[in-house]
Amino acid sequence: MKKFRLFLMALPVCALFSCSRDIYVPNQVNVPLLKEKNELKANLSLTNWQAAYSITDNIALMVNGQYVHRGWLDVDDNDNDNDDDLFVDKNTRGGLIEGGVGFFKAVDTRKRAVFDVYAGYGAGAFKTLDRAYNSAPDGSVANDYLLRTRFHKFFVQPSFGLAHKVVEAAFTSRFSIVKFHDQTLGVKAFENDTQRRDNFMRLGDKAVPFFEPTFTVRAGYRYIKWYGQLMFSVPMNDETYNNYNVNDYFQPVSVTMGVTLNFGQWVKDAGRK
């Protein structure tokens, strides 16, 4: 009965998080849909903070930050078992910071349809724990089971969207190239599986390309809108070492929600008064 309850609980969670050991969680895509000079939009959510500013009528800058911490996913089990860990990697923690520059243009006379494309660079790190830590003896040191990696990231993201003052919707096809480096393993991580240890350390052998199609919807009025975003992250390779797929370390699906603040519109309206 308890496993059935955990299964039902995990269904919506697995839509948000990978069920593997995540050492790379793709950040939310910044889709500003700017239309003219001096627009400034910011996106705020629990795990992502983003801003974009148009320096001309067609050129804009963006900056993105991400921090993931899943400690709140802990479940208080009276019998102290770890069945919930079968579904969610609650130990994942980390994030990145990135910046980019882009071109945007409204494609109709009423400026309700917008095309933009941004490119940029970022760097970050993630860490988690080997699943063996869940069944480790009392008093075990978490760092002995630690999995950690750092990475550089390059991205390009063309978007097309419809931007009304009440509702906005956009599709983005982001392409990211991630180069992992400085992987570290605790002394007891994959302790009885030397092949998996070797495979983890080989994550940095090649850059990993990702295709990340994204759907974004916003609803509100003028200065503030609620948004939701669905993103798929698909590695564009098939790296398999010794029957272990290294792509299992990457989160494949994410859903984020938050608010978008349109400071540029607020300043524009204030100037008219």
Side-chain angles (χ1 to χ4, degrees):
M1 186 66 178
K2 180 182 177 184
K3 288 187 177 182
F4 180 71
R5 173 180 63 84
L6 290 169
F7 174 74
L8 292 179
M9 179 190 68
L11 283 177
V13 176
C14 281
L16 305 179
F17 305 113
S18 167
C19 299
S20 61
R21 304 288 88 181
D22 296 329
I23 48 78
Y24 175 66
V25 179
N27 65 316
Q28 174 182 286
V29 178
N30 190 350
V31 188
L33 298 180
L34 303 175
K35 301 178 182 179
E36 58 190 11
K37 184 179 179 180
N38 291 330
E39 280 194 273
L40 173 61
K41 287 185 177 180
N43 301 318
L44 305 175
S45 74
L46 292 177
T47 57
N48 289 267
W49 310 272
Q50 304 175 325
Y53 175 70
S54 51
I55 58 177
T56 75
D57 282 331
N58 297 113
I59 303 298
L61 303 175
M62 68 165 52
V63 61
N64 307 318
Q66 175 200 37
Y67 181 68
V68 176
H69 178 28
R70 297 178 180 168
W72 61 272
L73 286 172
D74 240 340
V75 176
D76 185 14
D77 291 332
N78 293 330
D79 56 0
N80 294 320
D81 68 21
N82 292 287
D83 289 341
D84 53 304
D85 295 332
L86 296 175
F87 300 110
V88 181
D89 181 10
K90 65 185 180 185
N91 297 303
T92 295
R93 184 181 300 185
L96 64 79
I97 186 168
E98 64 185 14
V101 61
F103 170 85
F104 66 91
K105 185 174 180 60
V107 296
D108 69 323
T109 56
R110 301 183 67 181
K111 295 186 176 180
R112 291 191 175 182
V114 179
F115 168 80
D116 61 37
V117 56
Y118 291 83
Y121 163 80
F126 280 94
K127 63 181 180 180
T128 187
L129 298 177
D130 179 16
R131 195 179 299 279
Y133 180 69
N134 298 340
S135 56
D138 292 341
S140 296
V141 179
N143 281 344
D144 289 344
Y145 298 85
L146 187 67
L147 310 177
R148 184 197 299 269
T149 188
R150 302 180 186 275
F151 59 87
H152 302 287
K153 173 187 170 185
F154 300 89
F155 69 92
V156 58
Q157 56 175 68
S159 300
F160 178 79
L162 302 176
H164 186 267
K165 61 183 177 182
V166 176
V167 177
E168 300 179 7
F171 172 74
T172 306
S173 51
R174 183 171 71 181
F175 297 88
S176 301
I177 297 177
V178 180
K179 183 65 171 69
F180 295 98
H181 63 94
D182 294 339
Q183 300 92 268
T184 57
L185 280 168
V187 294
K188 294 186 178 180
F190 306 140
E191 186 176 23
N192 299 316
D193 195 334
T194 57
Q195 287 187 344
R196 191 176 288 275
R197 289 179 65 91
D198 293 342
N199 293 341
F200 180 83
M201 297 306 294
R202 294 177 65 183
L203 278 174
D205 286 359
K206 300 178 181 178
V208 183
F210 291 87
F211 173 52
E212 296 169 333
T214 304
F215 301 90
T216 306
V217 177
R218 299 189 184 102
Y221 189 69
R222 288 190 176 274
Y223 316 131
I224 184 169
K225 289 184 172 72
W226 169 90
Y227 73 84
Q229 185 176 98
L230 170 65
M231 177 174 62
F232 301 91
S233 184
V234 183
M236 299 172 64
N237 61 6
D238 184 19
E239 292 295 339
T240 303
Y241 302 125
N242 300 317
N243 298 319
Y244 292 109
N245 193 341
V246 297
N247 294 338
D248 289 342
Y249 296 108
F250 313 141
Q251 179 175 303
V253 183
S254 64
V255 175
T256 53
M257 293 181 288
V259 295
T260 296
L261 305 177
N262 190 340
F263 294 104
Q265 186 64 47
W266 178 78
V267 172
K268 184 187 299 184
D269 290 349
R272 290 171 179 168
K273 295 179 180 180

